[in-house]
Amino acid sequence: MASPFSGALQLTDLDDFIGPSQDCIKPVKVDRRPGSGVAKIHIEDDGSYFQDGGTQRLEKAKISLDDCLACSGCVTSAETVLITQQSHEELRKVLDANKTAAPGQQRLVVVSVSPQSRASLAARFQLSPTDTARKLTAFFKKIGVHYVFDTAFSRNFSLLESQREFVQRFREQTNSTQALPVLTSACPGWICYAEKTHGNFLIPYLSTARSPQQVMGSLVKDFFAQQQHLTPDRIYHVTVMPCYDKKLEASRPDFFNQEHQTRDVDCVVTTGEVFKLLEEEGVSLSELEPAPLDNLCSSMSTQEPSSHRGGGSGGYLEHVFQHAARELFGIHVDEVTYRPLRNKDFQEVTLEKEGRVLLHFAAAYGFRNIQNLVQKLKRGRCPYHYVEVMACPAGCLNGGGQLKAPDMPSKELLQQVEMLYGMVRTEVPENVPGVQELYRSWLQGEGSEQAGRLLHTSYHAVEKASSGLSIRW
């Protein structure tokens, strides 16, 4: 069975593949008897676990997203361990519960749609991105969703915080414990790999700016909740993403509100799951009447979706490069020129003046290039100041949650999705209506404690467990 998760979640040195017939469990401690050698575990046909020579069934612990090691077994093979809290079925349960709930007991349902998912759906239904956004809004509201937002808006904050963070770290590189290069952190597949495979070595390099999904989580559960006079737990927030790994990101403890016992993003559904929801409802997106787009704040008056320059993975390299060139060296870069290296998924960008390299950036997509990047870092031979890292080859538009076309080669489909993604008007984050207003009124200014708490995060090295799962079966 092909995995919907990114390659970075599978290609680690863990040897813990779990076969389709086995239940997914967390490792349990097996007591060794004095004088005995290796404790052997016997697996019955029904999936029960016994220590050889013993009659007591070993405790079996169901895995959750909080426990997930992102290995390569459970998330790819056994339907019994599919993550029930992160599916379109869970969204359907909440919508059904709202229909029978008392007026004051309903939850406000908010869906935030990523530009990459919108482009994939536009390709499938042969619609323009704007028509897709409006018809998707109509569909969600038809089934009971109250508000539908665009994560391109939250990406403005992610890009701006990434810009400021890089300039600060570049200026303080001789005194700061946060080293250069800065490695982007918007890709959860890459973050899982970094934390669980290279731990403390890579963490100092990671950007602390939250991804667009998690910034939208802060916007919806903090700012929007205040506007609606609701506590965060009264809002059910769903994101539509091109990537299964985003389900893991939403479930990180860092994005859980202890006071109100709620996550910033309650449920992540992929583009494919939205398509499945359309099929189950017997709805064709192209046949729906379009609905007006919702806005997060009053100063926005959006009649069409927007996006950013710099490719289908968010444009981090391009925005940070142009900002840094202007802020650090007073050089205005209108067009960013990419230079491909070994393959099209590893490209470099440089800023030079009088023969001297001032800035050296790179984009590394796919696990092959991530491995090369990490090896350069470990050998002390990484020449870059900033690297946009994405686990999927070709980036987010090629995510595992995107729609596939059985009658079209994947390369041709990707080109079509890229073309549709590029049709959307682009905006400069600093000039987007509402962004500066929210920095002032909601975040209490740029660089404030509030901005740090709601727009940034931290990472944690995960120790490798020594358990029965490390056995080569």
Side-chain angles (χ1 to χ4, degrees):
M1 176 179 174
S3 170
F5 287 76
S6 70
L9 289 185
Q10 303 161 57
L11 296 170
T12 70
D13 57 358
L14 297 174
D15 299 304
D16 49 8
F17 181 79
I18 300 172
S21 64
Q22 302 168 17
D23 282 334
C24 183
I25 65 163
K26 292 194 298 183
V28 293
K29 184 177 180 181
V30 178
D31 294 325
R32 294 184 181 180
R33 299 173 183 173
S36 67
V38 178
K40 295 183 178 179
I41 297 175
H42 178 68
I43 306 174
E44 296 288 329
D45 292 336
D46 64 355
S48 301
Y49 288 72
F50 293 87
Q51 185 172 339
D52 276 4
T55 57
Q56 184 176 358
R57 180 176 300 187
L58 296 177
E59 178 186 1
K60 188 164 34 173
K62 292 289 184 181
I63 198 168
S64 72
L65 278 178
D66 287 334
D67 308 310
C68 182
L69 290 173
C71 51
S72 68
C74 64
V75 295
T76 64
S77 54
E79 290 186 6
T80 56
V81 297
L82 287 176
I83 303 149
T84 57
Q85 289 186 338
Q86 298 283 347
S87 70
H88 73 287
E89 290 295 339
E90 193 68 18
L91 168 60
R92 191 186 291 279
K93 288 178 186 178
V94 172
L95 294 173
D96 288 343
N98 269 356
K99 294 175 183 176
T100 58
Q105 300 301 313
Q106 289 186 342
R107 299 180 74 180
L108 190 75
V109 182
V110 176
V111 172
S112 301
V113 182
S114 69
Q116 294 89 351
S117 294
R118 183 180 61 220
S120 182
L121 287 164
R124 171 57 64 94
F125 289 100
Q126 297 183 327
L127 296 168
S128 72
T130 298
D131 283 343
T132 303
R134 291 174 177 167
K135 289 173 181 286
L136 202 55
T137 299
F139 168 69
F140 279 124
K141 292 193 174 182
K142 181 175 182 287
I143 63 174
V145 172
H146 299 98
Y147 292 92
V148 181
F149 297 133
D150 186 348
T151 63
F153 182 70
S154 59
R155 192 163 67 191
N156 290 305
F157 294 90
S158 187
L159 289 169
L160 289 170
E161 293 301 309
S162 297
Q163 292 174 183
R164 294 189 190 100
E165 179 188 32
F166 174 76
V167 168
Q168 181 179 349
R169 282 167 67 165
F170 187 91
R171 285 173 172 161
E172 300 174 357
Q173 58 185 299
T174 55
N175 304 318
S176 176
T177 56
Q178 290 180 302
L180 292 180
V182 175
L183 307 177
T184 60
S185 57
C187 172
W190 148 242
I191 291 301
C192 279
Y193 171 74
E195 288 183 323
K196 296 168 184 176
T197 307
H198 297 285
N200 290 321
F201 173 73
L202 284 179
I203 285 175
Y205 298 106
L206 297 175
S207 167
T208 64
R210 291 194 185 193
S211 70
Q213 171 176 277
Q214 296 310 137
V215 172
M216 184 57 87
S218 293
L219 280 163
V220 169
K221 289 295 184 89
D222 194 273
F223 168 75
F224 191 65
Q226 293 173 30
Q227 299 300 302
Q228 299 294 313
H229 307 290
L230 294 170
T231 55
D233 56 305
R234 299 305 306 157
I235 297 178
Y236 188 74
H237 183 207
V238 182
T239 60
V240 179
M241 289 287 145
C243 171
Y244 279 83
D245 303 350
K246 285 291 180 182
K247 297 173 185 278
L248 298 173
E249 179 183 42
S251 298
R252 289 174 68 92
D254 311 78
F255 305 129
F256 184 79
N257 184 322
Q258 291 289 345
E259 180 184 356
H260 295 282
Q261 292 295 295
T262 185
R263 298 193 184 280
D264 294 344
V265 177
D266 297 288
C267 180
V268 179
V269 295
T270 63
T271 317
E273 288 173 301
V274 171
F275 184 74
K276 188 173 183 181
L277 193 60
L278 284 161
E279 286 187 319
E280 290 174 356
E281 292 289 329
V283 173
S284 173
L285 199 63
S286 55
E287 295 173 1
L288 286 171
E289 287 296 319
L293 304 181
D294 292 325
N295 298 313
L296 256 171
C297 60
S298 58
S299 59
M300 297 172 61
S301 179
T302 307
Q303 299 303 316
E304 60 178 334
S306 64
S307 189
H308 302 91
R309 294 182 58 183
S313 298
Y316 287 87
L317 182 153
E318 191 156 320
H319 284 82
V320 174
F321 184 82
Q322 290 175 319
H323 178 78
R326 185 171 61 253
E327 284 291 311
L328 296 170
F329 304 105
I331 300 174
H332 291 264
V333 178
D334 295 323
E335 290 291 333
V336 175
T337 303
Y338 293 84
R339 183 169 67 90
L341 296 179
R342 296 181 180 179
N343 54 75
K344 63 181 177 61
D345 278 336
F346 202 126
Q347 302 185 84
E348 287 186 350
V349 175
T350 57
L351 179 70
E352 299 182 21
K353 184 177 181 180
E354 298 174 356
R356 186 166 67 96
V357 175
L358 303 177
L359 292 174
H360 198 176
F361 282 30
Y365 291 1
F367 194 76
R368 171 178 53 171
N369 293 319
I370 288 175
Q371 282 185 313
N372 290 334
L373 173 66
V374 171
Q375 289 306 311
K376 286 182 179 180
L377 281 166
K378 288 194 167 185
R379 293 169 184 160
R381 296 178 181 175
C382 183
Y384 307 117
H385 297 115
Y386 187 91
V387 187
E388 181 180 291
V389 186
M390 298 291 159
C392 292
C396 298
L397 290 173
N398 191 38
Q402 296 284 71
L403 295 173
K404 306 296 185 286
D407 57 342
M408 182 186 297
S410 57
K411 185 176 180 180
E412 185 179 334
L413 175 63
L414 179 59
Q415 289 173 345
Q416 187 177 351
V417 173
E418 288 173 342
M419 182 269 293
L420 287 163
Y421 182 89
M423 285 174 59
V424 179
R425 66 183 178 89
T426 60
E427 294 183 306
V428 178
E430 293 89 338
N431 301 333
V432 173
V435 171
Q436 296 306 322
E437 175 194 327
L438 287 178
Y439 265 110
R440 288 190 300 270
S441 62
W442 173 50
L443 298 169
Q444 300 167 10
E446 299 172 2
S448 67
E449 184 276 334
Q450 180 96 329
R453 180 174 63 86
L454 293 171
L455 302 182
H456 289 261
T457 188
S458 57
Y459 306 98
H460 324 279
V462 178
E463 293 184 11
K464 296 178 182 178
S466 177
S467 70
L469 285 180
S470 62
I471 299 172
R472 293 182 183 273
W473 296 99

